[in-house]
Amino acid sequence: MTGKVLITVKLSFEYYLRQDIKDYLFFFDQNVKVNPTELGGVLIVESMKDPRQIANLLINSPISDSVLTSVVPIITEGNYNVLSDLLGHVRDNINHGCRAFIVRCRLRGSLIGNDECERAVITLVRNFGFHAVYRGGDTDCAIVIEGLGSWFGIYVGPRSFVKV
């Protein structure tokens, strides 16, 4: 586990939300950090706690859904150059306790397109015998790949820990 949660917020609200989120999570982790990224609207929460717990707290926080638009706990991270780098990490983290997966890729600043990534992940998941759908539908689990340039973060697990 990385201790990171990637969140997206409404543009121009980053500065205010950084402090609100830090204040909200302070009682759970006094060392929590809310870091900006080079992209507007994208923040990374860093904690010594399990990223799924942090994500759950944020999803159930009083922060409006119209301002806090997505929450993704990062269970594995690294750098990538090609799509197969991402697929290897997904393969290593597929949970056999799941029946069906929603798949979402957001690779900002990458030569790999989101649709190309999602098609490749869905093919991989289906080859393992699971049901997989694009971005919506009735599933119990999720695979979310977030990218910022050459950095990636991946979540694979119960859908209840993500908001996409």
Side-chain angles (χ1 to χ4, degrees):
M1 295 286 167
T2 66
K4 294 181 181 175
V5 178
L6 189 139
I7 60 175
T8 56
V9 300
K10 189 173 181 177
L11 280 174
S12 76
F13 282 72
E14 298 97 322
Y15 177 77
Y16 302 105
L17 283 175
R18 280 179 59 203
Q19 192 59 48
D20 288 348
I21 290 168
K22 187 174 181 176
D23 291 345
Y24 179 73
L25 295 174
F26 180 79
F27 294 106
F28 184 70
D29 180 356
Q30 295 179 357
N31 297 314
V32 69
K33 296 177 187 166
V34 182
N35 300 316
T37 66
E38 66 275 3
L39 296 172
V42 181
L43 303 172
I44 296 180
V45 178
E46 292 188 60
S47 171
M48 297 303 290
K49 305 294 183 178
D50 185 321
R52 293 171 296 200
Q53 291 175 318
I54 297 292
N56 191 47
L57 287 168
L58 290 170
I59 289 167
N60 294 302
S61 76
I63 300 169
S64 170
D65 287 345
S66 66
V67 178
L68 182 61
T69 55
S70 74
V71 178
V72 179
I74 304 300
I75 61 169
T76 187
E77 67 177 329
N79 291 303
Y80 72 99
N81 294 313
V82 294
L83 188 55
S84 60
D85 295 340
L86 300 172
L87 295 177
H89 284 275
V90 170
R91 182 182 314 107
D92 293 343
N93 287 284
I94 288 181
N95 183 342
H96 293 283
C98 297
R99 294 184 321 265
F101 292 90
I102 181 177
V103 175
R104 180 80 188 258
C105 293
R106 288 186 286 206
L107 302 176
R108 302 162 186 93
S110 173
L111 297 176
I112 302 168
N114 294 337
D115 291 339
E116 176 187 2
C117 174
E118 289 170 356
R119 282 192 303 273
V121 171
I122 285 174
T123 299
L124 173 73
V125 171
R126 288 178 177 165
N127 286 341
F128 276 101
F130 296 105
H131 179 68
V133 296
Y134 293 96
R135 299 183 186 151
D138 187 26
T139 63
D140 58 335
C141 290
I143 298 173
V144 182
I145 301 175
E146 296 279 0
L148 301 171
S150 65
W151 175 86
F152 72 86
I154 295 176
Y155 173 76
V156 180
R159 192 170 177 181
S160 60
F161 292 111
V162 297
K163 175 184 171 190
V164 289

